Amino acid sequence: MQSLIHARGLVKRFGDFTAVDGIDLDVAPGEAFGFLGPNGAGKSSTMRMIGCVSMPSSGELRIFGMDPVRDGVRIRGRLGVCPQLDNLDPDLTVRENLTTYARYFGLSRAEARLRADELLDFAQLRDRAASQVEPLSGGMKRRLTIARAMVGDPALVLLDEPTTGLDPQARHLLWERLFQLRRRGVTLVLTTHYMDEAEQLCDRLVVMDGGRIVAEGSPRSLIAAHCTPEVVELRFAEEGDHAGKLAGVGRAEALPDRVLLYVDDGDDAVAEVHRRGLAPSGVLVRRSTLEDVFLQLTGRTLVE
Amino acid sequence: MGATAAVLERHLVMYRRLWRGSVFSSFVLPVLFLAGIGLGVGGYVGEIGGVGYLAWITPGVLASTAFQTAIGESTYSVMGDFKWVRSYHAMYAAPVRVGEMVAGRLVYILLRVVVAAAVFLGVTALFGALRSPWAPLSLAVVALVGLAAAAPVTAFAATVEHDSYFALLFRFVMIPSALFSGVFFPVEQLPGPARVLACLSPLWHGVELSRAATLGVFPAWPVWAHVACLLVWAAAGTAWAVSAFGRRLRD
Ligand SMILES: Nc1ncnc2c1ncn2[C@@H]1O[C@H](COP(=O)(O)OP(=O)(O)OP(=O)(O)O)[C@@H](O)[C@H]1O
Ligand SMILES: [Mg+2]
């Protein structure tokens, strides 16, 4: 099957600074694909190139098999974009934001009205349809931005940090909406700082760091490839080289506030810790997550 | 140019929300101004070019109002749509071309300017200030003046990062233009170098054409020469605006 997004050696430079440093990507139709990475990793820069609003400095990029430089307008007509920063018209009403945007995609006025009605339901903003955007809460604005991205009935939706700054309830509502889109066969590409979000929403993801892709796969396969099945988190009341005393138990990672111990069996490891005479003030055994993968790959935590 | 209408529509929807604030400056102020200067000062001035002062400055105030409205509407709102609202970024993420953004915006300014001018023209007809059957043509002149002023200022507004530049624009370009472009007195009164500057201003060409239309007199230059000067401003300004929008949006 033809890739919806195809990139080879994609580079984005700003002056001397290289924000995206030669990445390869292929996203298939119907896939939910995620970019994970710390601040400044180059996620948004990549998304903007895919959205055809930022020109690649070098490398190859094809969206729907077309060239963003030559066919930018045609590609954008089939995309829905939710940028990292909301760019709604604050003086217009919720409904007007949807109808004016629909007109950019060539919908007639009547079609735009119908579409706005559907999307007001989709975003659960029908009761706010006539209110201005300015006083809406952050979560409502975010939902409206995502609904607005859907006006052109896109085949590919780009979501740059769709849930950053939302409370847990608003996030779950958004996830539910994104699942709906996936069920309809819409291809989703999103960036996030949240591991649980990536695990929930993405079939496949890449971890970016410093403009490069440092790992790629499904959430499960990334954990299997880069991490042990379980992690023991140890907290100690007193300072000391605790990690040094754990040699042989598993790979130990000393963080400022705790020691992480990567092991196959967490309970066995805890028993061994106690046998060695260590007395942690807190012990937590859990399954490893993408967060641990990220830590393994980059030596840094994802959300500082 | 399919999305031009959609961009125009967005500006009109915005205006529907904000129009009240502009009623005074677009419709009431020019008439008050005309009454104050035309009747008040006119009482001391007597006739110019064979007509009363009120009739003489009416076409000038008409063109000048269009000029100032076009400039005023093309400054903060353009910069704001790039810097704060980012509505041009939103359009650019949709299938809207940069040329369509500029065109939609300029057509919007044209509508604003021409509607305000039509109201003004109706009021001045009641004052008996229109002396020629060509008077309605002054609306076409006003449209051209609006375009010649709005296009380069839109381009300028798309390149600046700070609104203090607009204060400079108003102080050193707009106000001198409005004062010395033949609106209140013939440019022949000006010393030589200043007269050259006045000839560069799109407003002077607009005032000459507008006066020709409402009074049925010949303008200073052939009509085609005045029109050509306005078209050069409009065309060069539009080209600059398209390139400035493009540079601002693509990185
Ligand atoms: N227009 C620009 N001009 C100059 N540098 C830029 C520009 N846009 C991005 N950068 C730089 O490129 C790097 C990558 O930025 P990008 O926005 O792609 O990161 P990100 O992964 O999206 O980060 P975040 O999680 O904070 O959103 C950053 O160091 C940023 O400062
Ligand atoms: Mg980003």
Side-chain angles (χ1 to χ4, degrees):
Chain A
M1 200 162 10
Q2 191 205 21
S3 301
L4 237 49
I5 302 172
H6 171 85
R8 287 292 174 274
L10 188 60
V11 171
K12 182 68 196 183
R13 282 187 213 96
F14 296 105
D16 294 339
F17 180 77
T18 305
V20 179
D21 195 6
I23 63 171
D24 299 341
L25 286 175
D26 276 287
V27 178
E31 213 176 359
F33 186 87
F35 288 95
L36 213 59
N39 293 132
K43 305 181 296 294
S44 296
S45 302
T46 306
M47 292 288 263
R48 289 166 41 72
M49 286 191 280
I50 297 171
C52 306
V53 296
S54 165
M55 295 301 128
S57 306
S58 70
E60 186 189 343
L61 181 61
R62 291 283 176 281
I63 318 291
F64 303 118
M66 293 185 275
D67 176 359
V69 179
R70 273 213 333 271
D71 296 312
V73 171
R74 272 178 68 202
I75 297 170
R76 271 151 33 208
R78 297 171 62 186
L79 292 182
V81 179
C82 169
Q84 185 167 354
L85 299 173
D86 286 329
N87 51 24
L88 301 162
D89 265 320
D91 292 323
L92 298 187
T93 65
V94 169
R95 178 189 290 280
E96 284 165 344
N97 264 280
L98 294 172
T99 50
T100 54
Y101 211 73
R103 301 279 287 145
Y104 300 152
F105 284 81
L107 275 70
S108 72
R109 277 199 204 98
E111 287 169 337
R113 266 197 304 274
L114 283 178
R115 198 84 186 105
D117 279 334
E118 280 170 40
L119 291 171
L120 285 170
D121 288 336
F122 173 83
Q124 299 194 350
L125 286 171
R126 183 171 277 286
D127 51 331
R128 303 302 296 265
S131 76
Q132 280 188 312
V133 164
E134 187 66 70
L136 294 186
S137 75
M140 288 175 173
K141 284 184 186 159
R142 210 65 191 140
R143 250 145 61 202
L144 180 57
T145 304
I146 293 172
R148 193 187 63 174
M150 308 306 301
V151 289
D153 200 12
L156 171 59
V157 178
L158 307 176
L159 302 144
D160 199 349
E161 299 191 21
T163 64
T164 296
L166 300 192
D167 65 28
Q169 204 183 342
R171 282 177 72 204
H172 280 97
L173 178 65
L174 259 181
W175 288 0
E176 201 273 316
R177 291 301 178 241
L178 296 179
F179 277 126
Q180 257 184 39
L181 290 180
R182 281 191 56 185
R183 276 200 298 277
R184 297 212 308 247
V186 175
T187 307
L188 299 181
V189 174
L190 57 96
T191 74
T192 181
H193 289 287
Y194 302 116
M195 299 304 114
D196 51 346
E197 185 160 291
E199 294 195 38
Q200 286 273 334
L201 293 176
C202 300
D203 302 319
R204 201 157 59 87
L205 49 89
V206 292
V207 179
M208 281 187 84
D209 191 28
R212 293 170 179 278
I213 290 177
V214 293
E216 174 176 359
S218 69
R220 282 288 115 214
S221 75
L222 278 173
I223 291 168
H226 297 281
C227 214
T228 53
E230 296 198 324
V231 181
V232 182
E233 294 197 11
L234 302 169
R235 285 168 201 272
F236 292 95
E238 73 284 358
E239 305 266 317
D241 176 26
H242 306 294
K245 296 178 189 144
L246 292 167
V249 185
R251 213 182 65 79
E253 181 91 49
L255 299 182
D257 58 336
R258 59 199 197 274
V259 177
L260 300 184
L261 202 50
Y262 294 97
V263 293
D264 289 327
D265 186 307
D267 294 331
D268 285 0
V270 173
E272 177 63 24
V273 166
H274 286 296
R275 241 189 322 275
R276 292 192 182 189
L278 289 161
S281 57
V283 176
L284 173 71
V285 178
R286 58 170 173 80
R287 290 166 63 86
S288 43
T289 66
L290 285 173
E291 182 96 47
D292 302 301
V293 172
F294 188 80
L295 190 60
Q296 296 267 338
L297 288 170
T298 68
R300 283 175 294 128
T301 49
L302 199 48
V303 186
E304 272 108 30
Chain B
M1 289 313 245
T4 303
V7 176
L8 169 63
E9 215 169 286
R10 181 256 173 187
H11 289 303
L12 289 175
V13 173
M14 279 298 256
Y15 186 59
R16 195 165 69 199
R17 223 141 263 297
L18 309 168
W19 66 275
R20 283 179 197 84
S22 73
V23 165
F24 185 74
S25 62
S26 296
F27 299 103
V28 181
L29 197 59
V31 173
L32 287 182
F33 193 76
L34 189 68
I37 305 282
L39 299 176
V41 178
Y44 296 92
V45 174
E47 295 201 334
I48 300 188
V51 296
Y53 191 58
L54 177 74
W56 196 81
I57 65 164
T58 290
V61 173
L62 181 72
S64 177
T65 303
F67 180 75
Q68 294 182 51
T69 305
I71 292 179
E73 290 297 319
S74 304
T75 48
Y76 297 97
S77 55
V78 173
M79 191 187 79
D81 275 351
F82 276 110
K83 222 175 143 71
W84 316 117
V85 181
R86 297 173 69 81
S87 54
Y88 289 119
H89 296 82
M91 289 179 203
Y92 195 48
V96 181
R97 293 180 177 84
V98 170
E100 294 166 332
M101 294 176 205
V102 172
R105 181 156 187 101
L106 290 178
V107 173
Y108 163 70
I109 301 287
L110 277 193
L111 286 179
R112 289 277 312 271
V113 160
V114 170
V115 169
V119 171
F120 181 81
L121 211 59
V123 174
T124 55
L126 299 178
F127 279 85
L130 307 182
R131 302 293 168 83
S132 156
W134 293 102
L137 260 191
S138 61
L139 291 182
V141 173
V142 152
L144 212 47
V145 171
L147 202 57
V153 174
T154 298
F156 176 68
T159 57
V160 300
E161 280 295 335
H162 201 276
D163 62 7
S164 57
Y165 289 99
F166 299 144
L168 297 177
L169 178 76
F170 296 146
R171 225 169 284 160
F172 294 109
V173 179
M174 191 178 85
I175 294 176
S177 272
L179 288 176
F180 302 113
S181 295
V183 176
F184 302 105
F185 58 89
V187 290
E188 286 74 37
Q189 314 275 93
L190 293 171
R195 212 181 308 167
V196 173
L197 280 181
C199 294
L200 287 178
S201 160
L203 181 54
W204 178 67
H205 300 283
V207 170
E208 283 297 315
L209 288 175
S210 166
R211 189 163 285 138
T214 66
L215 298 183
V217 298
F218 284 107
W221 295 2
V223 169
W224 66 263
H226 287 303
V227 171
C229 285
L230 288 171
L231 284 177
V232 166
W233 270 105
T238 304
W240 180 23
V242 171
S243 114
F245 272 49
R247 244 175 295 131
R248 187 85 182 235
L249 291 172
R250 288 180 207 110
D251 57 38

